[in-house]
Each structure stands twice: as structure tokens, then as C-alpha cells.
Amino acid sequence: MPSNKLFALLVPIVSVLMGLIAGAIIMLVSGFSPIDGYTALWNGAFGDSYTIGETIRRSAPYILTGLSIAFAFRTGLFNIGAEGQVLVGWLAAVWVGITIDAPMYIHLPLAVLAAAVAGGLWAFVPGILKAKLGVHEVIVTIMMNYIALFTTNEIIRKVLTSGQTTTDSIAPSASLASEWMQSITFYSRLHYGILIALFAAAIMWFIIQRTTIGYELKSVGFNPHASRYAGMNVSKNIVLSMVIAGMFAGLAGAMEGLGTYGNMSVTAGFSNLGFDGIAVALLGANTAIGVVFAAFLFGALKEGAGEMPTGAGIPTELVDIIIALIIFFVASSYIIRWVIVRFKKEGK
């Protein structure tokens, strides 16, 4: 049998390849050229410095929502509420960016911190309900996504504006925008948020792999009864895990509010950053480094999809089909493992 590390590396790679091959077959059946389609996808994601900047920019919130889902998974929890945590983090960051007047070295960190705290507090509710009452976190987090959507819409309309659908732009002192990054990417919207996202990935790795807290969180996730017998505070660790996961998702909201858009608008539906984060975490095998690579793949697919209708006449929805197929093959890891083992035996 392949080693666990080799298997963990091969499954995402094989899943991506199989997803791309299946996507090519769908293109052929639909009367499109796979070569033209994937060429357009590549050019849309990496064709020039501008598209590269946009791909990296789009990857930053995916890294953070992927980390949010992956952190909860590593500790035995299912944080399906990252979408709502993104929204409240986005709102908190913009609120601070609009209402506070301070120099950048105070204003920007405060806005970023506000987003993380808001996301953490939003995740605290399902965490405490799970820890104290045994309420399943999936049900609560799904419901809180909708609460976050409608609450943030009302706050934008009734508190931050006078009946308008978009807030004022944040102050320059709270912006993550980088003139240097924009200049080297032909004035894309690339901003300093990518550095925050990569730093957050390093933080997750350090917590999970190098701290006592991380050990306890994983232990509670594997077996809460044995952990309680060993003297660990299971309830505290469940709540702490959800709060940390929520903070990662809240930071993803800051990427959009302080970096890409500089404001927040009323929306009729979700941004899907949190839901896509589930796929990113799954493809990244719930590891920090895996999430980073998976997020860049998703950023490239989402950014490159915009070129497919004009470059090859292929609907952008096909990229969503390819992503769904990749997730399907990751979820079918047992089949992929069986195929790998068979090939290894035949090779011997």
C-alpha cells in the first residue's frame, strides 16, 4: 500500500487531472474544442501580468476560507458557516474603515482585527451550542449563514447608509491596496491581503503541528471521550476551534472589504467564498500547505473562466462543472486509491 503521505499527495493531483479530462470530454460532447477551451482558461488566468495579479488576488480569500474549513475539519467539526462569517467580517472591516479616523499603522490593523473578531464571534454561537447542548454545528452554521446575509444587508441600509445599497468607500488609511503590487501587474486589483492569507496559513500550520493547544484540539476531534478521560476540557476546545475557524473566515471578508472592493453592498445571495472554501479544504487535504495550492487552483479556474466565452465560445458554467468533478473525484478517494494500488501491483 502507498504511504499515507504519498497517497495524500497523489489523490488531489489525480483528482484534478481526472476532472480536467472529464471536462474535456464534456466539451467534446457539447461541440466545443477542449484545446481552445483550456487555452482560453489558461490565458484568462496567466496570459499576462494583469491576469496573474487578478488570479493571485482572487486566491487570497479562498486561502482563508479554506483554512477556516480545514481547521474545523482537523478538530472534528464541520464549519459550514464560513460564508456567514465572511459576510460579518467584511461588514466589520468596512465599518471600521469608514467610521474611524486614525493613521494607517493603527487604522488598517484595527480594521483587519475587527474582521477576525467578528468572524470569531459569529462562529462562537454554533461552538457554544455544540459544546453545551450537543446541537450539531452543521445545522446551526447553515442557519447562521442566512442570518448573516440578511443582517448585514439591513445594517448597510439602515445604519451605514440612509437607505442606499452600497456603503461609502473606506478611508485610504484602512486600505490593503498596494500601488507597488498593482504597478507590476498592469494595475490589477492585487493587494497586500495575499500576504495576510499566507501568514494565516503559517499560523494554522504552527497551531496544529507545534502547539499543545493544537494537540488538544486534534485529540478532541479524534475522540472527545478519551480526551475528556485524559483531563482535557472538551467543551472549551470545541468552542476554541470554532472561534479560530471563524476568525480565518472573517479575515477573508477583510480581503474583499479592505482590498478588492473597498466597500460593501447589499446582496441578494451569497458570495460563495465560504462554500467554495469547503472544496478548497477538501482538495487541500485539510492541511495548510494543501489549502494554499488548492486556493491558487480555484483562483485560476475562477479567473480563467471569464475568458472562455470570448476566447473559445464556451460557457463559464463549464468551469463550475469541472470544479464539481474535481470535488467528486477527491470524495471518491477510495476508488483512486484502489486504482493506484492495482497499478503498483501490476508494475511489480
Side-chain angles (χ1 to χ4, degrees):
M1 297 290 285
S3 68
N4 289 334
K5 289 185 178 179
L6 178 61
F7 175 64
L9 179 64
L10 283 177
V11 168
I13 294 174
V14 174
S15 300
V16 171
L17 291 176
M18 292 179 70
L20 294 174
I21 292 170
I25 294 172
I26 293 173
M27 288 186 213
L28 283 172
V29 172
S30 304
F32 300 111
S33 168
I35 296 176
D36 293 342
Y38 285 134
T39 299
L41 181 68
W42 176 269
N43 290 335
F46 305 108
D48 53 36
S49 59
Y50 174 84
T51 56
I52 292 173
E54 284 294 303
T55 296
I56 298 173
R57 187 272 308 170
R58 193 183 283 266
S59 302
Y62 283 140
I63 292 174
L64 289 160
T65 54
L67 292 175
S68 175
I69 305 298
F71 190 89
F73 277 166
R74 292 293 296 272
T75 56
L77 298 170
F78 296 91
N79 179 27
I80 313 301
E83 182 67 31
Q85 294 147 22
V86 168
L87 291 174
V88 297
W90 190 336
L91 179 70
V94 170
W95 199 332
V96 171
I98 292 171
T99 58
I100 292 179
D101 183 17
M104 177 174 282
Y105 63 86
I106 295 176
H107 201 182
L108 179 56
L110 188 62
V112 172
L113 180 62
V117 171
L121 288 175
W122 202 255
F124 172 81
V125 176
I128 196 69
L129 290 175
K130 168 81 171 183
K132 298 300 183 182
L133 301 176
V135 181
H136 203 290
E137 69 277 9
V138 170
I139 304 300
V140 180
T141 51
I142 288 175
M143 291 191 296
M144 291 195 69
N145 285 333
Y146 289 94
I147 296 172
L149 175 64
F150 297 123
T151 301
T152 53
N153 283 347
E154 280 302 296
I155 291 175
I156 291 170
R157 288 194 189 99
K158 303 293 177 61
V159 179
L160 296 182
T161 69
S162 299
Q164 282 133 21
T165 57
T166 303
T167 67
D168 294 333
S169 296
I170 61 172
S173 57
S175 176
L176 286 169
S178 167
E179 292 184 5
W180 172 73
M181 286 185 173
Q182 292 172 359
S183 65
I184 64 175
T185 56
F186 202 66
Y187 300 100
S188 71
R189 292 175 292 175
L190 182 61
H191 51 77
Y192 286 123
I194 187 62
L195 302 180
I196 295 176
L198 293 175
F199 181 70
I203 292 294
M204 174 183 161
W205 173 85
F206 182 76
I207 291 175
I208 292 293
Q209 301 294 342
R210 292 292 185 268
T211 66
T212 303
I213 293 175
Y215 177 82
E216 286 194 13
L217 291 173
K218 288 189 294 183
S219 176
V220 170
F222 284 132
N223 193 326
H225 304 293
S227 300
R228 184 178 290 109
Y229 182 78
M232 299 178 189
N233 189 327
V234 174
S235 296
K236 183 198 76 172
N237 282 291
I238 289 174
V239 174
L240 180 61
S241 175
M242 285 299 298
V243 168
I244 294 175
M247 292 178 74
F248 283 134
L251 286 174
M255 300 299 99
E256 304 296 86
L258 305 179
T260 302
Y261 299 105
N263 57 31
M264 188 174 186
S265 299
V266 171
T267 57
F270 295 118
S271 69
N272 286 328
L273 289 173
F275 297 126
D276 286 340
I278 299 173
V280 170
L282 185 63
L283 184 60
N286 298 323
T287 63
I289 186 64
V291 163
V292 171
F293 283 115
F296 277 114
L297 173 64
F298 271 66
L301 290 172
K302 293 288 188 178
E303 186 63 31
E307 183 67 19
M308 294 180 75
T310 56
I314 297 175
T316 57
E317 288 79 8
L318 185 62
V319 173
D320 293 327
I321 295 175
I322 293 172
I323 292 174
L325 288 169
I326 290 172
I327 297 169
F328 170 77
F329 289 123
V330 172
S332 305
S333 58
Y334 176 81
I335 299 174
I336 296 174
R337 181 169 187 165
W338 179 81
V339 172
I340 292 172
V341 171
R342 287 294 298 270
F343 272 109
K344 186 177 180 181
K345 287 181 178 178
E346 290 178 6
K348 288 182 178 179

